[in-house]
């Protein structure tokens, strides 16, 4: 039986429901007409991130590559080629670079506060998306003018929204990617011809001059895919920030605690937001060399999915997983395979998200502003989070009103 419809229907809960029903963390099914193994849990994650057992080549369906990821980017590489490309990303993640980005983002927040004070109400998700888009665009060296920010943010949102969608929502993502790749590839060509000066040390410069292990430059289209791999997911942090604002609203004792400004508290809160709320549902790979695990045979080439959301809510790993409780992280072991909203394992060696530190830093920047620099009301609205829609969001996008800056 093909389970694609059940996946579309049950969304984030698809894997966990079956795991609970069968009393296991590994089961076989058919998805998109192909036999597929589904996994969840820390032990499973450790197996999934073993590069001797799994590869990424051929793992992502075209519909995901043509919208969210792009073709030829770091996510689909293996071995030495992956390691070298990943290093290009990790070299951009120094504490200095991250501080520069969070500084640009904080300036962006502060510039919007007077506009929000004058407005009746604002949708936080939309505002934050534009703030992040403007800041990360200049950080990367592909700046955007004031009048273009809204359009560029919409186009990045379209890519993020599209991979699991059918119909117009899917095609908007394909169209957005096509246009964005073309424009950025042109810019890379102009940098290489000496017609455009990339800011010193910017991602635009690094990616345009990066050489593959064989010595060749990246094709300009692939360079564009990698630049989008910095801009797009940074804008996607707007979802975590919206969830963080929701958590502050629903757990007001944490608003008071965070107002004190202790980094330790912000850290606990951010980790729990990343664990608790549904975002990146699952990642895929293919078996590289056949093996057996927990009584299941994994033949070479078998498509395998690791349930990130289900692992973050696994009852063996987390006490009362459905309760939002940042203090659980005071005793957390810091393991690389239990808390995996952005993938597991090692950042440099494996496919774990290159932007995890940026994500955490931008969430802390947002929390500092939301708790210490402004006050606001949360009018009545639909805050429900559909677990069927991937990726999801509180329905209303989190509306706030009566914004005032704290003197
Ligand atoms: C990979 C999630 C933010 C850059 C990934 C993966 C996930 C993920 C699940 C795949 C892990 C795997 O394949 O095993 C997220 C989420 C984010 C986020 C939920 C929150 C918005 C960022 C940011 C950046 C970034 C801010 C960069 C500025 C990347 C890159 C990869 C990646 C380059 C590919 C890594 C590789 O294949 O080796 N991310 N990410 N992400 N992420 Fe993120
Ligand atoms: C990013 O832009 O890379 C980070 C956030 C994107 C989340 C998108 C979730 C897509 C849901 C479909 C699952 C695709 C499995 C590979």
């Amino acid at each position: 039986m093909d389970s694609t419809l059940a996946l579309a229907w049950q969304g984030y809960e698809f894997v966990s429901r079956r795991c609970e029903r069968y009393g296991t963390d590994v089961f076989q099914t058919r998805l998109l007409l192909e036999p597929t193994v589904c996994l969840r849990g820390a032990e499973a994650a450790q197996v999934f991130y073993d590069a001797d057992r799994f590869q990424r080549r051929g793992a992502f369906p075209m519909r995901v590559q043509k919208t969210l990821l792009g073709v030829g980017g770091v996510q689909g590489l293996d071995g030495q080629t992956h390691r070298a490309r990943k290093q290009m990303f990790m070299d951009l993640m120094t504490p200095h670079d991250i501080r520069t980005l969070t500084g640009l983002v904080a300036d962006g927040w502060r510039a919007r506060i007077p506009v929000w004070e004058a407005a009746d109400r604002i949708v936080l998700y939309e505002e934050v998306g534009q703030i992040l888009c403007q800041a990360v665009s200049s950080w990367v060296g592909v700046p955007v003018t004031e009048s273009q920010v809204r359009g560029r943010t919409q186009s990045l949102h379209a890519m993020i929204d599209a991979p699991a969608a059918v119909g117009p929502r899917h095609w908007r993502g394909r169209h957005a990617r096509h246009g964005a790749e073309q424009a950025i590839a042109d810019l890379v060509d102009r940098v290489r011809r000496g017609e455009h000066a990339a800011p010193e040390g910017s991602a635009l410069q690094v990616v345009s001059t990066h050489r593959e292990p064989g010595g060749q430059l990246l094709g300009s289209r692939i360079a564009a895919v990698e630049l989008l791999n910095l801009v797009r997911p940074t804008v996607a942090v707007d979802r975590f920030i919206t969830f963080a604002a929701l958590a502050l609203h629903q757990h007001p004792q944490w608003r008071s605690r965070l107002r004190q400004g202790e980094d330790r508290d912000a850290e606990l809160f951010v980790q729990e937001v990343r664990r608790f709320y549904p975002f990146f549902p699952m990642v895929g790979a293919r078996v590289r060399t056949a093996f057996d695990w927990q009584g299941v045979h994994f033949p070479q080439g078998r498509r395998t999915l690791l349930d990130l959301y289900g692992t973050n809510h696994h009852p063996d790993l987390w006490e009362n997983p459905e309760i939002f409780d940042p203090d659980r992280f005071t005793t957390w072991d810091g393991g690389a395979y239990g808390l995996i909203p952005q993938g597991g394992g090692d950042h440099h060696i494996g496919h774990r998200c290159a932007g995890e530190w940026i994500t955490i830093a931008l969430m802390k920047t947002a929390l500092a502003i939301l708790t210490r620099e402004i006050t606001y009301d949360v009018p009545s609205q639909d805050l429900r989070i559909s677990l069927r829609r991937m990726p999801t969001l509180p329905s209303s996008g989190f509306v706030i009103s009566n914004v005032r800056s704290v003197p």
Side-chain angles (χ1 to χ4, degrees):
M1 269 284 283
D2 194 274
S3 303
T4 309
L5 276 177
L7 172 62
W9 195 252
Q10 297 172 352
Y12 288 91
E13 295 181 309
F14 170 80
V15 174
S16 278
R17 283 205 194 171
R18 279 161 183 72
C19 285
E20 302 289 338
R21 193 186 307 154
Y22 311 143
T24 174
D25 278 347
V26 47
F27 66 89
Q28 296 233 42
T29 182
R30 285 178 74 84
L31 283 172
L32 298 170
L33 304 174
E34 205 187 305
T36 304
V37 181
C38 297
L39 301 171
R40 71 159 186 179
E43 281 173 47
Q46 192 155 5
V47 171
F48 181 85
Y49 282 101
D50 177 349
D52 292 333
R53 287 173 162 169
F54 286 99
Q55 64 178 43
R56 296 305 173 94
R57 197 191 154 93
F60 299 109
M62 253 319 146
R63 58 166 27 256
V64 178
Q65 295 186 53
K66 291 278 186 186
T67 54
L68 181 68
L69 301 180
V71 176
V74 62
Q75 294 93 342
L77 303 178
D78 296 295
Q80 269 314 314
T81 330
H82 172 258
R83 191 81 76 92
R85 189 81 64 85
K86 187 66 172 286
Q87 195 56 46
M88 174 184 83
F89 283 94
M90 299 315 292
D91 286 343
L92 292 162
M93 304 296 160
T94 65
H96 173 78
D97 288 310
I98 296 178
R99 261 199 311 279
T100 305
L101 177 61
T102 52
L104 289 168
V105 169
D107 293 346
W109 276 92
R110 290 178 188 131
R112 288 303 286 176
I113 292 171
V115 181
W116 299 344
E117 286 183 296
D120 184 34
R121 46 180 58 198
I122 61 149
V123 179
L124 191 70
Y125 170 68
E126 281 165 16
E127 290 289 324
V128 173
Q130 292 182 49
I131 292 168
L132 294 171
C133 179
Q134 180 146 36
V136 73
S137 294
S138 61
W139 186 72
V140 161
V142 189
V144 62
T145 64
E146 200 83 46
S147 65
Q148 296 167 328
V149 184
R150 184 185 290 270
R152 190 180 286 185
T153 309
Q154 276 170 356
S155 141
L156 294 159
H157 279 160
M159 294 177 211
I160 292 163
D161 251 352
V166 287
R169 200 177 121 203
H170 180 72
W171 287 98
R172 269 197 291 276
R174 289 202 180 218
H175 181 76
R177 168 160 292 281
H178 187 80
E181 282 185 9
Q182 197 128 310
I184 299 175
D186 283 348
L187 183 63
V188 169
D189 286 332
R190 281 191 283 133
V191 168
R192 288 175 175 169
R193 287 199 301 265
E195 296 164 14
H196 177 95
E200 190 59 36
S202 66
L204 177 61
Q205 186 195 47
V206 168
V207 174
S208 299
T209 57
H210 176 79
R211 291 191 182 269
E212 299 256 66
Q216 64 281 42
L217 292 168
L218 297 174
S220 53
R221 197 72 188 217
I222 294 188
V225 166
E226 302 301 32
L227 287 163
L228 279 169
N229 271 333
L230 293 162
V231 177
R232 182 205 64 252
T234 302
V235 169
V237 178
D238 59 7
R239 280 197 148 74
F240 272 148
I241 291 173
T242 304
F243 287 133
L246 174 64
L248 278 180
H249 173 59
Q250 292 177 338
H251 307 277
Q253 71 280 20
W254 276 93
R255 170 177 293 283
S256 325
R257 231 168 115 172
L258 292 175
R259 200 179 290 136
Q260 311 301 313
E262 293 289 339
D263 182 64
R264 174 79 182 142
D265 286 338
E267 181 82 20
L268 302 174
F269 191 83
V270 163
Q271 296 298 44
E272 182 67 344
V273 169
R274 296 195 316 131
R275 182 195 74 82
F276 184 76
Y277 291 99
F279 193 170
F280 211 118
M282 52 186 74
V283 281
R286 281 190 191 279
V287 175
R288 189 170 106 98
T289 355
F291 65 96
D292 292 276
W293 186 70
Q294 299 218 340
V296 173
H297 182 60
F298 292 70
Q300 190 186 355
R302 175 73 83 237
R303 171 167 283 156
T304 304
L305 296 176
L306 173 67
D307 180 6
L308 304 180
Y309 178 73
T311 302
N312 294 334
H313 287 253
H314 198 301
D316 293 350
L317 284 167
W318 309 100
E319 210 179 310
N320 299 322
E322 303 313 324
I323 290 178
F324 181 88
D325 175 19
D327 278 321
R328 69 171 75 246
F329 281 100
T330 52
T331 54
W332 179 50
D333 67 0
Y337 301 100
L339 176 69
I340 54 170
Q342 299 177 230
D346 183 87
H347 294 95
H348 289 82
I349 296 169
H351 282 274
R352 190 184 187 115
C353 177
E356 200 162 13
W357 307 321
I358 285 183
T359 304
I360 292 169
L362 292 177
M363 290 173 74
K364 287 181 180 176
T365 303
L367 285 170
I369 289 172
L370 289 172
T371 58
R372 307 172 69 193
E373 298 193 22
I374 57 174
T375 60
Y376 51 87
D377 295 333
V378 181
S380 139
Q381 59 192 288
D382 185 357
L383 292 171
R384 279 174 301 177
I385 299 165
S386 163
L387 290 179
R388 237 174 96 182
R389 195 188 206 283
M390 297 188 290
T392 191
L393 197 68
S395 259
S396 60
F398 206 76
V399 175
I400 60 175
S401 60
N402 199 20
V403 176
R404 295 287 169 261
S405 76
V406 174

